[in-house]
Each structure stands twice: as C-alpha cells, then as structure tokens.
Amino acid sequence: MAVSTTIWVILGAAVATYLTRVGGHAVLSRFERIPPRVEAALNAVPAAVLTAIVAPYAVFFGLAEAITIAAAIVLALRLPTLAMLGLCWALVWVLRQAI
Amino acid sequence: MTASQPDFWRGVRDAVPIMIAVAPFGLLFGALAAENGMTPFEATLMSATVYAGASQMVGIELFGADIAPWIIVFSILAVNFRHVLYSATMGQTIGSYSRLQKALAFALMTDPQFATTEQKAEKGAATPFAWYLGLALPVYALWVAEAWLGAVFGSLIDDPAAYAIDFLLPLYFLGMVMGFRGRANWLPVVAASAVASVAAYHFVGSPWHVSLGGLAGVVVAAIIGVRPGHKLVV
C-alpha cells in the first residue's frame, strides 16, 4: 500500500514540531541570554500566524461571518474559549439562515 | 521506582484541570479532521505524533484546500515555533533529568505542560521526572484517544456547512489569538498580521495570506522588541 501524502505531511510536521521542542534547549541555551528582538519575534509567531488565517474570514466570506467574527472578539474578552465557541457557532448558524 | 510513585500520582492530580480544559478540543480536532477528509487512523496518528492542538487544527484547515504539502508542514512548524522559547526556559528547570528523560519530556511538552512545570518550579516545588510523567501521560493518552473517537463520530456528519461546522475552525483560531492577549506586543502584532493577511488574500491570493500575514506580525514584534527581563507568558 502506498503511503498517502497526508501521512507524509503528518510525519513531516511531527519531526518539525519535535525539533522545536528540543531545539530551544539544544540551541538557544548556548546563548547567555536570548537577544530581545529574537525573543519578541519568536514569541509573536503563533498569534501572528493564527491571526493571518482568521482575518480573511472577517472580510471576504459574507455578512453573517463578519458579524460573528466581531461578536467572537468581544465575547472572547469575557468568556472562556469554549463558551465563546458555542455561542458564536449558534450565532453564525442563525445569521446564515436569516441573511 | 517505589520512591517515585508518590511523585507520579502528584503529577496525575495536577493533570486533572488540564484534562478538563483540553478534553473538548481533542474531540473537536478528531471531528473536524474527519470533516476535512482525514481517516480516523490519520487523525489519531497526527494527535499522537504532532501533539500540538492549534497546529493540528491549522493542518486540517490547509488539508481541506488544494495546497502544496511543504506549505502545510511549514505552517504547522510556524505555529509550533513558540516551543523553542519554552524549551530554552524549561531545559533549565529539568536540568537534573538524564538525556533520555529530557528527550521524552520535550516530546510531551505542550503549553499547559510547560506552564504548570514553570509555575511549580517558581513556587519552589520539586519537578522530578516521575511527577512530570504523571502530569503529561494522562493528557497525552486522552488527546490521542479523543482524536480517534472524534474522527469516528465526526465522519457520520454528512453536510458540515448545513450545521455551520465549517466555521468552528476560524472561531477556534480566533479564540487562541484572544487567549494570547497577555503576551508582549500582542495588539501591534495582531493588527499588522490582520491587515497584511487581508491585503495578501486580495492581491496575491490564498494560501499566501498565511505566510505573508504571519511574517508581517513577526517583523513588527522584532522591530519593537521586548523589555530586558521580560517574563515569558503562555
């Protein structure tokens, strides 16, 4: 049986992820301290990438989706992620029927 | 071994709140993976080997689109790059572990695992290897089992858009972004990424908005920098 592309991507991602987990200790710990700009850049990566994935949904996918994203931002300030997820799931479903 | 058993169970007790927080997302991953065409085996394999929630969600979001495999791997790598910082910090906390113990400890290191270990160490509590395993293994076992369970049941839903299930992933990512808001430079980073991503989506096209938007935020963070002595926030 040929191994699917999906399996190769998963294994590649697994190796890359393990390297990030050991890499900090193996490489960065050789420095007396991490240069502040490098630390700031590394620390910003997850928020930056995830924002980049979400942003188009607020602009290009329709009114129901845009309203839901706006509501989600406000709700996430007050509620745990799971509660926000539940409410906004219901909201986008209702808005899609209504609009 | 008997001497380390109480440490192990102390770790398991500390794992309970993490398991409660993580449980819904493990199932959600499995279900959404199935929606995006993954088999239960593939979803379980991904949870067992990548073992990093947000990046796994990014993976299935991109699998759904027609995107080159290396871009998917690169995007997952980008989301997980924060581990480099955790690893550099935690390497000192677990400095007394053997090489092999460290190799295993880092394989099981997630955001809550890192945060809990550092909190304990900061309070002066011991963080021996047996305790670390007690904290990590139940969460890992739960996460892997849930991927399979979620994928098996998720594949039973035939029309995700009808139930707005297709919109759960962007909402989940937004929740993660909002969860990071205590971090240094959060607002300028998020603003730069959002603007650059929308511009790239419009002018260059998908999937380049992910890399270009992400890059914009990281560059802004590097320009601003962090205060010396700044504390790493998870």
Side-chain angles (χ1 to χ4, degrees), chain B residues 21-151:
Chain B
V22 154
F25 297 107
L27 281 176
L28 184 66
F29 166 76
L32 294 180
E35 291 307 336
N36 283 271
M38 269 196 197
T39 65
F41 170 74
E42 289 165 344
T44 311
L45 180 73
M46 192 173 199
S47 275
T49 59
V50 178
Y51 189 47
S55 77
Q56 291 178 225
M57 299 287 197
V58 169
I60 56 176
E61 160 100 359
L62 298 181
F63 274 130
D66 187 21
I67 293 175
W70 71 267
I71 297 182
I72 304 178
V73 174
F74 184 78
S75 303
I76 292 172
L77 172 68
V79 173
N80 285 333
F81 223 79
R82 68 189 186 285
H83 291 134
V84 169
L85 287 177
Y86 301 169
S87 161
T89 307
M90 203 181 78
Q92 291 160 359
T93 309
I94 62 169
S96 62
Y97 294 10
S98 74
R99 267 182 110 79
L100 199 65
Q101 288 173 337
K102 273 185 199 155
L104 183 60
F106 282 129
L108 295 167
M109 183 186 68
T110 57
D111 300 52
Q113 183 78 22
F114 166 76
T116 308
T117 305
E118 290 305 309
Q119 277 162 14
K120 291 280 163 189
E122 209 164 283
K123 284 184 196 152
T127 54
F129 184 62
W131 169 82
Y132 188 96
L133 282 186
L135 181 68
L137 288 180
V139 182
Y140 180 79
L142 177 73
W143 185 256
V144 175
E146 282 187 318
W148 182 80
L149 207 64

Side-chain angles (χ1 to χ4, degrees), chain A residues 9 80 97:
Chain A
V9 170
Q97 314 289 315

